[in-house]
Amino acid sequence: MSRSTPEPAGASTDARSAATVPVPAAAGGGPVSHAIFRLARLHRMFAGQLLRPLGLHPGQELVMMHLWELGPQRQTDLVRLLDSDAATMTRTVRRLEQAGFVRRRPCPTDKRASLIEPTAASQVLRRQVEQVWAQLEALVTADLSPAEGAAALATLERLEDNLAQAEAPADTDTDG
């Protein structure tokens, strides 16, 4: 889990347990946070490589998954579902629309809103996205037993819950 690059075939398992990206001294107080950062970066990189042939970028497939499962949604509902922000969702939907995977139509209950719906062209994409996610899951959990996989999932869910329950810091100014 802690390595930052794919392991060459035949590499020892001892080498696999050592991080190839050193933890900087300033991050020494947060080794779990640093490991999450590295894992998220690698996961996004592999997801991008697998999604690129489908014409998608990481995150766009999640929007499509929700639309396929729930049907047409207001953009504000997609923001809430994906814990995103309005500007990011606007760009994502615009790009999916330009690719022909979604279309907008007027919301019958709110004249100010549009419904975002998957197109027929996106239905072909659905099976491919499911295959990409299965392939990504296989990469992530390659040498885990079913019990280890379940424990890893439980730990990740607990970490997510810890952050979701934490109060946001009072000073969120990130301008440096």
Side-chain angles (χ1 to χ4, degrees), residues 59 116 150 160:
I116 311 302
E160 180 184 15

mmCIF file of all heavy atoms in Angstrom, residues 59 116 150 160:
data_model
loop_
_atom_site.group_PDB
_atom_site.id
_atom_site.type_symbol
_atom_site.label_atom_id
_atom_site.label_comp_id
_atom_site.label_asym_id
_atom_site.label_seq_id
_atom_site.Cartn_x
_atom_site.Cartn_y
_atom_site.Cartn_z
ATOM 1 N N GLY A 59 -13.390 10.990 -12.182
ATOM 2 C CA GLY A 59 -14.487 11.761 -11.599
ATOM 3 C C GLY A 59 -15.692 11.811 -12.519
ATOM 4 O O GLY A 59 -16.828 11.784 -12.046
ATOM 5 N N ILE A 116 -29.948 16.910 -15.854
ATOM 6 C CA ILE A 116 -28.843 16.295 -16.587
ATOM 7 C C ILE A 116 -29.208 14.826 -16.736
ATOM 8 O O ILE A 116 -29.505 14.156 -15.745
ATOM 9 C CB ILE A 116 -27.508 16.429 -15.810
ATOM 10 C CG1 ILE A 116 -27.277 17.857 -15.325
ATOM 11 C CG2 ILE A 116 -26.358 15.899 -16.649
ATOM 12 C CD1 ILE A 116 -27.256 18.900 -16.392
ATOM 13 N N ALA A 150 -11.838 -6.847 3.175
ATOM 14 C CA ALA A 150 -12.945 -6.364 4.009
ATOM 15 C C ALA A 150 -12.428 -5.476 5.132
ATOM 16 O O ALA A 150 -13.029 -4.434 5.450
ATOM 17 C CB ALA A 150 -13.728 -7.544 4.575
ATOM 18 N N GLU A 160 -12.802 7.812 6.740
ATOM 19 C CA GLU A 160 -13.690 8.777 6.083
ATOM 20 C C GLU A 160 -14.703 9.332 7.072
ATOM 21 O O GLU A 160 -14.954 10.542 7.123
ATOM 22 C CB GLU A 160 -14.410 8.122 4.902
ATOM 23 C CG GLU A 160 -15.349 9.068 4.183
ATOM 24 C CD GLU A 160 -16.136 8.393 3.069
ATOM 25 O OE1 GLU A 160 -16.189 7.150 3.016
ATOM 26 O OE2 GLU A 160 -16.709 9.130 2.248
#
